[in-house]
């Protein structure tokens, strides 16, 4: 969804290496090839995210119509947690975790584990047949120039157990490394194909700090003009702050960090994020002092958010001079509660969250204050129109600020930001990538 997928290229390499003829289709960028489906012995659907899974369901049904004899597979984070639904759709092999080995059972019949965390020796991803890199999201640089973006993964899983995270039901606090030489060779091939920026798609790039540090050093030594971005927890940014200057020196364009909330009760007792509001403030200031760009993400709306709390979130973003750093869609994100979510362990969640809805692949919830849900819906449509109209982030943020204070029947002026500090355009992706 916006990047050339490692999750297609890696199993393609394994299957081709085992003698299979493989056709890859990235249906976020390519039309469905019904002729390929008709002649396939097996069809495997990659389900790494909620949106991808919802898009796949009608395609699984269509595949059954076109080729009822094909062995259907589904793999990725969202496959095991939706196994019951997928089996009803006719999917025979379901694989989560380290799925490459499990998918080889297509060729060597035998039981495939639903979830495998076995350590693998990875193969270099085979990206042949996928759309060219310039068909995907691009990096927009200060001044307006654009860079072609490649995508790789240096690890899977996560050490942490954040309650709302879809990684947790599969990996349960474990993570697995993709060998450094495989990651670097994957990057080399993408640079040869035109990439000038690399996205590391790991759930948390600093889960294996030694692995991450060695990778960015090697990347910068071999390709000093290539930039990169990564996703890193607030907790890890503080714990490994001694390595932050290295990110700047090796070409890190920005770091995405799932801040999620500025409410300490929500951070600690609901989401179990492992950081506090003060930690986020400290990281934001540290990045500013180091000349690094922080791109925070948020779960802006959830059952425990109030109108006053949402206004406080906007104020925190403004006070930290992060308005341009926050993708406008982040101002509208509504909590997703997929099957297997640890949120369901909380008594507070049982009072707030309804039944599972197979049509949306999530548990339904309605806020106890209808003004909150109304604001979320209005903001979502407003932000969508504003993005389509190519309005800048500060203009969109100001509109969200005004709508929020109108809902509160208050009139608070949006701060101008810290005095004496010039605003600079930050690098950003043309297509934000979320669940």
């Amino acid at each position: 969804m916006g990047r050339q997928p490692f999750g297609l290229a890696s199993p393609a390499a394994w299957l081709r290496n085992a003698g299979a003829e493989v056709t890859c289709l990235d249906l976020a960028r390519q039309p469905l090839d019904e002729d390929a489906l008709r002649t396939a012995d097996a069809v495997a659907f990659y389900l790494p995210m909620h949106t991808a899974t919802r898009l796949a369901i009608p395609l699984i049904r269509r595949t059954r119509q076109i080729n009822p004899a094909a062995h259907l597979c589904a793999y990725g984070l969202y496959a095991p947690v939706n196994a019951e639904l997928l089996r009803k759709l006719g999917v025979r092999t379901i694989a989560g975790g380290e799925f490459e080995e499990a998918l080889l059972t297509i060729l060597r019949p035998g039981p495939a584990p639903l979830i495998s965390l076995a350590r693998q020796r990875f193969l270099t991803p085979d990206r042949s047949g996928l759309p060219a890199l310039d068909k995907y999201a691009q990096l927009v640089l200060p001044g307006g120039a654009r860079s072609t973006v490649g995508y790789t993964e240096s690890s899977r899983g996560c050490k942490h157990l954040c309650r709302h995270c879809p990684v947790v039901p599969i990996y349960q606090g474990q993570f697995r490394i993709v060998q450094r030489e495989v990651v670097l060779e994957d990057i080399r091939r993408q640079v040869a194909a035109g990439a000038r920026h690399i996205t590391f798609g790991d759930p948390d790039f600093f889960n294996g700090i030694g692995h991450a540090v060695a990778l960015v050093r090697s990347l910068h030594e071999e390709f000093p003009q290539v930039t990169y971005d990564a996703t890193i927890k607030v907790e890890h940014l503080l714990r490994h702050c001694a390595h932050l200057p290295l990110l700047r020196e090796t070409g890190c364009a920005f770091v995405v960090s799932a801040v999620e909330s500025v409410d300490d009760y929500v951070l600690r007792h609901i989401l179990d994020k492992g950081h506090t509001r003060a930690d986020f403030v400290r990281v934001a200031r540290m990045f500013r002092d180091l000349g690094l760009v922080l791109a925070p993400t948020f779960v802006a709306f959830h059952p425990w958010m109030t109108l006053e709390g949402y206004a406080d979130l906007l104020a925190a973003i403004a006070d930290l001079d992060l308005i341009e750093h926050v993708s406008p869609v982040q101002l509208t994100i509504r909590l997703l509660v997929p099957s297997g979510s640890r949120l369901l362990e909380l008594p507070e969640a049982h009072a707030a969250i309804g039944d599972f809805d197979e049509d949306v692949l999530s548990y339904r919830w309605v806020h106890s204050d209808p003004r909150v849900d109304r604001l979320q819906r209005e903001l979502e449509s407003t932000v969508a129109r504003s993005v389509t109209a190519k309005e800048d982030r500060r203009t969109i943020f100001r509109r969200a600020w005004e709508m929020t204070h109108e809902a509160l029947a208050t009139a608070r002026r949006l701060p101008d930001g810290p005095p004496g500090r010039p605003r600079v355009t930050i690098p950003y992706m043309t297509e934000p990538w979320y669940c």
Side-chain angles (χ1 to χ4, degrees):
M1 303 295 289
R3 313 289 189 274
Q4 195 187 68
F6 184 97
L8 291 186
S10 179
W14 286 61
L15 289 164
R16 286 171 178 145
N17 187 61
E21 180 182 341
V22 178
T23 298
C24 283
L25 292 172
D26 183 353
L27 297 179
R29 288 292 182 273
Q30 296 171 289
L32 184 67
D33 184 344
E34 294 194 354
D35 289 338
L37 293 185
R38 285 190 184 92
T39 58
D41 297 310
V43 182
F45 294 86
Y46 179 41
L47 311 180
M49 297 184 294
H50 177 260
T51 301
T53 307
R54 290 189 66 184
L55 292 173
I57 287 174
L59 295 171
I60 292 172
R61 293 192 176 106
R62 179 64 181 145
T63 301
R64 289 276 290 170
Q65 294 172 348
I66 292 171
N67 186 350
H71 181 132
L72 299 188
C73 313
Y75 66 101
L77 290 176
Y78 273 80
V81 296
N82 291 292
E84 182 179 352
L85 171 61
L86 293 169
R87 293 200 191 285
K88 285 194 294 186
L89 294 172
V91 177
R92 290 167 53 190
T93 297
I94 297 172
E98 307 307 278
F99 46 70
E100 286 86 352
E101 187 72 43
L103 289 179
L104 292 182
T105 61
I106 298 170
L107 308 179
R108 299 194 293 267
L114 188 65
I115 297 173
S116 172
L117 300 184
R119 287 176 169 81
Q120 299 182 153
R121 292 295 307 178
F122 282 81
L123 300 176
T124 303
D126 186 342
R127 299 176 179 274
S128 57
L130 286 168
L133 294 178
D134 62 9
K135 302 301 182 184
Y136 291 89
Q138 294 183 312
L139 178 73
V140 181
L141 300 166
R146 298 191 175 202
S147 288
T148 299
V149 177
Y151 173 90
T152 194
E153 295 176 10
S154 70
S155 68
R156 290 183 181 150
C158 186
K159 290 179 178 179
H160 300 274
L161 298 170
C162 304
R163 284 197 178 93
H164 63 306
C165 179
V167 176
V168 173
I170 305 300
Y171 282 90
Q172 298 289 330
Q174 301 183 64
F175 80 105
R176 295 290 179 261
I177 290 295
V178 181
Q179 290 75 30
R180 190 187 346 159
E181 62 273 17
V182 172
V183 181
L184 290 172
E185 180 58 27
D186 188 28
I187 292 172
R188 286 186 195 104
R189 295 182 184 185
Q190 292 183 79
V191 171
R196 295 299 175 265
H197 178 89
I198 298 293
T199 290
F200 287 102
D202 311 36
D204 193 299
F205 192 54
F206 274 9
N207 266 319
I209 185 65
H211 181 54
V213 164
L215 268 175
V216 297
R217 281 181 172 149
S218 296
L219 169 61
H220 187 65
E221 181 179 346
E222 189 167 351
F223 301 109
Q225 303 307 313
V226 171
T227 57
Y228 65 90
D229 69 90
T231 299
I232 306 173
K233 280 174 65 72
V234 169
E235 180 181 352
H236 283 168
L237 292 171
L238 289 174
R239 182 180 304 163
H240 303 299
C241 61
H243 294 289
L244 296 184
L246 177 68
L247 297 184
R248 180 193 60 214
E249 293 158 9
T250 54
C252 183
F254 60 89
V255 171
V256 176
S257 193
V259 176
E260 312 298 41
S261 176
V262 295
D263 182 324
D264 280 335
Y265 173 79
V266 172
L267 287 169
R268 288 172 172 163
H269 299 289
I270 303 298
L271 302 181
D272 195 12
K273 279 298 298 178
H275 71 259
T276 64
R277 178 184 183 131
D279 292 334
F280 165 47
V281 170
R282 183 179 163 198
V283 165
R285 290 173 176 165
M286 186 167 28
F287 265 60
R288 186 79 63 183
D289 291 343
L290 287 168
L292 282 166
V293 174
L294 181 69
T297 63
F298 301 96
V299 179
F301 290 91
H302 49 74
W304 303 274
M305 176 61 84
T306 63
L307 286 181
E308 292 81 4
Y310 187 72
D312 181 48
L313 171 63
L314 297 183
I317 293 169
D319 290 345
L320 291 168
D321 202 18
L322 290 173
I323 292 174
E324 282 86 0
H325 296 234
V326 177
S327 174
V329 72
Q330 289 300 313
L331 305 177
T332 72
I333 294 291
R334 184 178 175 89
L335 176 68
L336 183 70
V337 187
S339 180
S341 173
R342 281 194 66 222
L343 282 168
L344 301 173
E345 300 171 3
L346 293 174
E348 297 97 322
H350 289 291
I353 296 171
D355 295 331
F356 188 76
D357 186 337
E358 278 193 353
D359 291 335
V360 296
L361 297 180
S362 176
Y363 286 86
R364 293 281 191 179
W365 62 269
V366 176
H367 202 284
S368 58
D369 181 351
R371 297 178 304 164
V372 175
D373 282 341
R374 184 166 56 249
L375 177 62
Q376 190 273 332
R377 290 191 300 269
E378 292 172 353
L379 281 171
E380 190 171 52
S381 60
T382 297
V383 167
R385 289 194 301 270
S386 298
V387 170
T388 300
K390 301 188 183 305
E391 292 183 337
D392 65 85
R393 290 183 174 186
R394 182 162 287 270
T395 298
I396 298 172
F397 186 91
R398 183 178 297 279
R399 191 166 288 122
W401 178 281
E402 292 168 351
M403 291 170 66
T404 301
H405 286 277
E406 182 179 343
L408 280 166
T410 60
R412 183 181 171 190
R413 183 172 175 272
L414 176 63
D416 291 327
R421 178 184 296 154
R423 289 201 185 96
V424 295
T425 303
I426 66 161
Y428 66 92
M429 292 291 183
T430 55
E431 183 178 344
W433 182 41
Y434 306 109
C435 292

